[in-house]
Amino acid sequence: ETLAQELSLRLQQKKHGTLRVADLGAGMLSMLELFMNGGGEKERSKASMFNIIRNILGSGGNSDEQLTELEYFAYESNTNLLDGCKEKLRRLGFEEVSSNN
């Protein structure tokens, strides 16, 4: 219930140019990788989902809908995946930071 409340609050906050995604049951963060880098190989490769969505919104000609930022909230209850998720985040260019919360 606390997770649902926190996500609800964050996803309802208006922030111009921001696409917010909540990935529940995130596993090994494969959706994050698709949003950032796309996927597939060779002739089946796909652009990043963020760029695809940005292009669709931009094709409407409405500059108020320009996306410049992705906020990605991932939740996975299986703690056995934590180390693998951290490694994937490092490979994607993220750095671990400490939080004083």
Side-chain angles (χ1 to χ4, degrees):
E1 187 176 323
T2 303
L3 173 65
Q5 290 171 339
E6 182 178 340
L7 283 175
S8 177
L9 286 173
R10 286 187 166 202
L11 293 174
Q12 289 177 28
Q13 296 170 345
K14 300 277 185 198
K15 189 172 179 186
H16 181 70
T18 301
L19 173 64
R20 288 190 174 97
V21 175
D23 187 1
L24 304 179
M28 291 299 295
L29 304 174
S30 55
M31 285 298 290
L32 175 61
E33 192 164 19
L34 288 173
F35 265 97
M36 291 180 61
N37 301 327
E41 295 192 16
K42 297 183 183 170
E43 67 278 349
R44 293 181 160 226
S45 81
K46 304 286 186 251
S48 77
M49 289 176 66
F50 181 74
N51 285 337
I52 290 170
I53 293 168
R54 216 166 80 178
N55 290 339
I56 289 169
L57 290 176
S59 68
N62 186 346
S63 61
D64 290 342
E65 295 177 349
Q66 282 287 11
L67 291 178
T68 57
E69 181 178 67
L70 171 66
E71 287 186 8
Y72 185 87
F73 304 95
Y75 174 77
E76 175 54 61
S77 61
N78 184 347
T79 57
N80 293 323
L81 299 178
L82 185 59
D83 289 335
C85 287
K86 285 182 178 182
E87 179 57 34
K88 178 168 256 184
L89 288 169
R90 280 190 285 276
R91 280 196 321 260
L92 291 171
F94 291 88
E95 295 179 16
E96 188 168 354
V97 295
S98 304
S99 176
N100 294 333
N101 293 342

